Amino acid sequence: MRTVVIAFFVLVLTACGEQAPQPTDEATGQQARVVVYTSRQPYLIEPLFERYTAATGVQVDFTSDNEASLIERLAAEGRRTSADVFMTVDAGNLWQATERGLLAEIESPSLEQAIPAALRDDQGRWFGLSLRARVIVYHPDRVEVDELSTYEALAEEQWAGRLCLRTSRKVYNQSLVAMMIEHHGAERTAEIVSGWVDNLATNPYSSDTQTIEAIAAGQCDVGIVNSYYLGRLIAEDPDYPVRLFWANQDTTGVHVNISGAGVTRHAPRPNQARALIEWLASDQAQAEFAERNLEFPANPAVPAKGLVVDWGEFKADETPLTVAGQRQAEAVRLMDRVRYR
Ligand code: FE
């Protein structure tokens, strides 16, 4: 009976022309599919998943939630999970998932070739798919660009009462500080972060967008944010009065992080999971994947697209992003100690 149904489907599809082949799931005999748990906003990924289905015939079903809930859900579901792929932002979050034993080690020559070693787990449990930069932003009426240099220099006295930051609760700042501990050691990093706290114009904000808006509104002159948040504001208003500065170009390079994905430990369809991640890392998908969120391709063979090109080339910190996870707890304690809220 099942064969008849499939044969009928094939007939219908052949009659429709253009459609991709319809691979079937070995276990169910139905259309092949892959299930993704993701903390990414649906509008950023859904069009890519649709393209994947059009190209391969494999249906992508996804569940969106925040990363903490998805990690708990994967842990609670264990072997019964329907999730094949876990996709989120920040190496700190992906590292947490590996610490909980939720991601499988996979071998993929194509992923190892496409994604630089610093942007993936050395055991193949997660792979960066887009690159985001945490940059200095400033108001050009109140800051001369040659006053700017490094994240570290924002701790100096000249910035007293002029700095805005997002809360230390956000993983983005935890990863930045983790990398600073790697570069400077804990003692020097504590001095720097304490200097930031002394220079704050206001209490830390709950989002990068609020931080940028505070600079635009004149509450402060400089801040540290992920570049795509500024990109969104510039996309709406090309004359938006806040500029980007590539931090640490003469020293460690600008702090970069990733959005990325891994195959879940108990994936019911591990081969489909790997194939989807490989496709997202490929030339065909990388430019669009990055551009949708105004990020940069993780695959260095693929040029960036869209308004981010106006910001020019930059030197990125090439420290392996696993460090952001390994030093996360230390970074949280350090920020707490110097009263960065
Ligand atoms: Fe973000």
Side-chain angles (χ1 to χ4, degrees):
M1 187 60 192
R2 182 179 288 168
T3 350
V4 175
V5 173
I6 293 166
F8 174 73
F9 255 98
V10 170
L11 259 174
V12 170
L13 285 162
T14 315
C16 294
E18 302 289 307
Q19 284 283 346
Q22 290 271 303
T24 50
D25 189 292
E26 278 173 44
T28 64
Q30 291 166 348
Q31 181 184 4
R33 65 179 199 132
V34 59
V35 176
V36 180
Y37 281 4
T38 180
S39 72
R40 304 223 74 187
Q41 308 260 18
Y43 77 93
L44 296 175
I45 47 170
E46 204 165 11
L48 265 297
F49 291 163
E50 282 166 7
R51 272 185 55 202
Y52 183 71
T53 303
T56 63
V58 178
Q59 183 186 325
V60 184
D61 294 324
F62 69 94
T63 297
S64 292
D65 205 337
N66 67 58
E67 57 271 349
S69 305
L70 291 173
I71 284 174
E72 290 311 322
R73 182 166 167 181
L74 275 173
E77 288 172 344
R79 292 174 191 283
R80 290 171 294 110
T81 193
S82 60
D84 301 298
V85 173
F86 177 57
M87 178 186 280
T88 187
V89 298
D90 208 285
N93 289 330
L94 289 158
W95 188 85
Q96 287 293 346
T98 64
E99 282 296 284
R100 300 281 298 270
L102 300 173
L103 300 178
E105 293 176 20
I106 65 160
E107 263 183 59
S108 164
S110 81
L111 282 170
E112 280 165 30
Q113 218 249 309
I115 306 301
L119 306 183
R120 53 181 161 85
D121 177 51
D122 58 6
Q123 292 170 61
R125 293 169 297 183
W126 50 263
F127 298 85
L129 293 173
S130 65
L131 189 75
R132 55 255 314 275
R134 200 145 182 81
V135 300
I136 295 177
V137 284
Y138 66 99
H139 198 297
D141 291 352
R142 298 189 300 278
V143 176
E144 295 291 336
V145 71
D146 58 14
E147 292 179 86
L148 296 167
S149 57
T150 62
Y151 307 111
E152 291 84 349
L154 295 178
E156 288 166 11
E157 242 185 69
Q158 73 173 109
W159 301 108
R162 301 171 68 192
L163 176 65
C164 277
L165 291 176
R166 183 180 190 161
T167 170
S168 65
R169 304 274 178 265
K170 183 66 187 180
V171 69
Y172 300 165
N173 285 329
Q174 296 168 6
S175 291
L176 172 64
V177 171
M179 288 303 196
M180 287 170 60
I181 296 172
E182 179 75 8
H183 291 309
H184 307 304
E187 204 175 318
R188 172 77 189 114
T189 305
E191 281 171 24
I192 295 161
V193 179
S194 174
W196 289 351
V197 174
D198 290 343
N199 286 344
L200 284 177
T202 66
N203 287 331
Y205 291 98
S206 61
S207 79
D208 282 9
T209 301
Q210 287 173 346
T211 307
I212 301 167
E213 284 171 343
I215 296 170
Q219 285 170 297
C220 43
D221 299 340
V222 284
I224 300 173
V225 300
N226 282 2
S227 61
Y228 53 87
Y229 292 106
L230 178 62
R232 288 176 196 170
L233 293 165
I234 293 174
E236 277 170 33
D237 171 11
D239 298 321
Y240 197 81
V242 175
R243 302 269 160 81
L244 174 149
F245 179 81
W246 292 118
N248 295 42
Q249 293 303 281
D250 297 328
T251 62
T252 49
V254 75
H255 171 62
V256 292
N257 211 305
I258 51 157
S259 79
V263 178
T264 64
R265 159 125 344 184
H266 299 296
R269 295 155 289 261
N271 292 335
Q272 293 292 1
R274 196 190 60 223
L276 174 62
I277 298 172
E278 286 173 345
W279 184 82
L280 289 169
S282 72
D283 295 10
Q284 314 162 55
Q286 272 286 286
E288 187 186 343
F289 189 85
E291 191 189 2
R292 288 213 159 260
N293 194 35
L294 305 172
E295 294 178 80
F296 302 89
N299 180 340
V302 178
K305 273 173 68 182
L307 74 80
V308 305
V309 175
D310 296 346
W311 291 327
E313 306 262 311
F314 59 94
K315 178 176 108 174
D317 186 344
E318 285 174 359
T319 307
L321 279 175
T322 43
V323 170
Q326 285 156 356
R327 292 196 180 276
Q328 187 182 72
E330 201 182 349
V332 169
R333 282 197 303 273
L334 184 152
M335 291 190 285
D336 215 49
R337 187 150 49 84
V338 302
R339 298 174 196 285
Y340 175 12
R341 303 295 178 212

